[in-house]
Amino acid sequence: MKKLFTLLAFMTCFLGAKAANWVEVYSIDYSNYQVFPFYVMGYIPGFDNGCMTDFGANYRFVKVSEAEETSDVTVVDRDGTEYYRFTEGGGWHQYFIADGISTQLDGHYKVVALVKASEAVNISVNMGWGWGQGETAGGTASIPAGDDFTEVEWEYTGIGGTSCNLVAQPGGFTGTIEWKSLKVYEDQKAQKPVVWQQWITNDGKSIIPDVATESKYVGDAEFGAWPDWALVETEGINANWRSDDATKICAWALTMGKNYDDQASGITNDSPRSRPYPANIEVEEGTENHVFAVHVDKIDIIPGKENEEPDAASIAWSNQFWIEAPTAFKAGESVRIKFSYKAEHACSAGTQFHTKNPSIYLHWNAVGDVSFTTEWQEFDKTVTIPSEANGAYSLAFNLCSDETNGRTPNIFYFDNLSMETMVLEEGLFVASANTTTGLEYDFDNAVPFEWDAELEAYVATAGTAGDQDSWVNELMISTVAGNDAAFKGNTISPSGSYIGEDEWGEYTAKSLSKIKLPAAGVWQIAVDTDSKQINIVQLEGETPKDPVDIVTNTTAVKVVGQERDWLSADGNGNPREAEVGTGAAWDNQLFIIANRTLAAGEVTVLKFKYKASKEAKATTQCHVLPGQYKHYGAIGDVNFTTDWQEFNQTYTVPADADGMQSIAFNLAEIKEACDYEIKDVQWYLDYTVEGKTMENLIDAEGTKNFYVKEGAGTDPYEFGTDPSGISTVVVNNNANNVIYNIAGQRVNKAFKGIVVKNGNKYVVK
């Protein structure tokens, strides 16, 4: 078996020589599966010979129930849905290779996949924690050609979520990729010992009034019955679920046909919906043990409209169970969840986080799917609360989410409910770093803020006076301390002008907020929590740079966009034009390249004039260098017309684009040939004084900040130079004999295809 190491571009620049402490946090062996185990995004890999196989972009898939024609090959997804596989009409494709990966905010991860391909290929693999802008981190898997499986590695940093997936994007690659197995490793450091607070009040008594269970978990149903107040109904409705008493009941249930409550958002007299009520406490048959029970008899969504087909999502949560906590969870906080469970017949149930009021949804993914059997099982899992679930109180079970086994009458049983939360310090704390010298954040020794009567604010100092080695140029300020993930999940983010003796700016709560300072030094931070304002003053250190004039590069850049082939099919296998071909929106491109890589959170301004020979739309992407794709979204769509227009946008680098250096304009969104022009480009760091900036990101003249690509199959090249040159490839002048592929990514000697070595291009067969 071969072994190939690949790194993200410039990774060593940020990580230096520090040895990583890799700990396995996820693994999947595809030979254990007979059908695709993940959510389908149009393309469905096959399963044979003990691996998951991508047969290439020429295949497309259509649900049997929606197909207008038949195919000789039928595949089935994890939910039992059948698809026809067609050998024509495919195109750009992507699919999950992992899901449900437990991650830490701002974590550093390495993926090791055992894989082989019929042809050498570089594919984008995004690690995602959501579906919105800025909720993925990009990586690249460089897979060599060969008959042997190879260990391929790639890494991610700047993760913004606590449960991630991996989406492979082979795009238009028509070869075969076979995935044998995959593991994910986290670079972990030692944490402070965790102190857990059991689900009881500070005095050790039950949270449920009038119930004495001091010696048991508060969720032990052995207390036998809810107190009278918990069961009181007004006009036939138990309204405790939407009152302050919600957190005094540890087990809630919802079953269709019971507790219709119209007094809720979106519910009218014409469409009453069942609402939560304290779960039944029953004696388990054949024992003297008390348990919480949920009887599912029907899954109709709207009474009186049983004959109408409800949507699948509504069916999933038509019957539910909740474990309710007495206090809210904080983003980044670790919560240990334990309970006993079984059902009358086997099925699985999806889970969500809800608010203080059970039935009010907050976040889609909590502890993953829970598989019920007819025998008692013990659930014990520690989860990190994602930023989207900040303030959650309850864990919701969607009892009818199993399409195959969960849509028939059933009884679900729960007992020994327990949620243990991490004990954290609360207040204001600052941790600091120096990105120039490599001084790292030390969250274990974050500096607490103290009240300053003169400033009428809480004050802390980052760095030590007289010690240059302690100077910092970046801060993180949090409202909790005691755990790295919790610290990062509860930071504050300032806005406007806030640096200087008399400068105070507002701040808001924002997870993973890193405050970049104008120079290294010792800094005093003052926070007024009443007005939510912050002030930062340098006490000693490097002299901050003076602002400079904004420069305009007047180079008139023209891209002679070539006619594009018909576009490939969309993610569902449907032709996007009258015919299906191999064309892609990036067959013609323009790149504006900054003079350095940009970090997540940096606020920049981009301005230019633009027009085209006909009306056309350009989508934009983030790249490192041209061809080194980073993220699918940059400055949004740019709509060209035949008249000159002026573009002006303030652009904040998202977390998933950390390390980007260039903005790519995809100039083949239309099929026709078209000439695109831009000029008078400005790209600079945002600053409060008009006409000034702390840094221009492009030169005032010259062409090195502009690359173009004209036609499918061509490479990006510096505008105004000979396109047959090799100027697009980054070569490390300090490391002779280092080999790169045509996209500028470092590869080893086993790589097959076009490579660049010492500035020269070779073909390795």
Side-chain angles (χ1 to χ4, degrees), residues 14 18 431-442 462-464 467-475 520-521:
F14 299 105
K18 175 190 172 184
S432 52
N434 191 320
T435 58
T436 302
T437 64
L439 181 65
E440 297 183 337
Y441 284 103
D442 181 3
T464 303
D467 181 5
Q468 186 171 338
D469 291 339
S470 73
W471 287 359
V472 301
N473 65 2
E474 192 172 277
L475 308 172

Side-chain angles (χ1 to χ4, degrees), residues 567-603:
L567 276 178
S568 58
D570 65 16
N572 294 317
N574 303 310
R576 289 193 279 183
E577 293 182 356
E579 299 178 15
V580 174
T582 59
W586 46 85
D587 286 350
N588 301 302
Q589 287 180 300
L590 162 69
F591 300 87
I592 302 177
I593 309 170
N595 291 330
R596 63 170 175 84
T597 57
L598 302 175
E602 289 196 271
V603 182

Side-chain angles (χ1 to χ4, degrees), residues 20 92 171 207 247 337 343 435 450 495 504 534 672:
W92 193 94
I207 62 165
T247 58
I337 299 172
T435 58
E450 297 181 358
S495 60
W504 287 79
I534 186 172
E672 297 82 6

Side-chain angles (χ1 to χ4, degrees), residues 325-477:
T327 57
F329 302 132
K330 294 180 179 290
E333 180 180 25
S334 292
V335 178
R336 187 178 184 185
I337 299 172
K338 298 189 291 187
F339 54 89
S340 305
Y341 64 108
K342 74 172 185 176
E344 189 176 45
H345 68 75
C347 68
S348 65
T351 59
Q352 301 171 332
F353 282 119
H354 283 214
T355 65
K356 179 180 180 179
N357 306 119
S359 195
I360 297 183
Y361 166 84
L362 190 58
H363 184 56
W364 65 275
N365 184 34
V367 297
D369 292 348
V370 177
S371 296
F372 289 78
T373 66
T374 57
E375 302 295 330
W376 282 107
Q377 300 180 74
E378 301 299 321
F379 186 94
D380 188 341
K381 184 176 182 178
T382 300
V383 299
T384 301
I385 302 299
S387 56
E388 299 87 349
N390 186 47
Y393 276 79
S394 54
L395 171 66
F397 297 78
N398 297 326
L399 301 179
C400 295
S401 55
D402 186 337
E403 294 185 21
T404 304
N405 302 304
R407 304 292 169 83
T408 57
N410 202 355
I411 306 176
F412 295 84
Y413 300 99
F414 298 85
D415 203 2
N416 302 320
L417 315 178
S418 174
M419 290 187 179
E420 300 177 354
T421 54
M422 182 179 293
V423 177
L424 300 170
E425 299 177 70
E426 298 197 25
L428 283 172
F429 308 87
V430 61
S432 52
N434 191 320
T435 58
T436 302
T437 64
L439 181 65
E440 297 183 337
Y441 284 103
D442 181 3
F443 299 104
D444 287 345
N445 295 299
V447 177
F449 282 68
E450 297 181 358
W451 178 254
D452 186 303
E454 184 177 348
L455 288 176
E456 296 184 341
Y458 292 95
V459 175
T461 301
T464 303
D467 181 5
Q468 186 171 338
D469 291 339
S470 73
W471 287 359
V472 301
N473 65 2
E474 192 172 277
L475 308 172
M476 293 183 76
I477 302 172

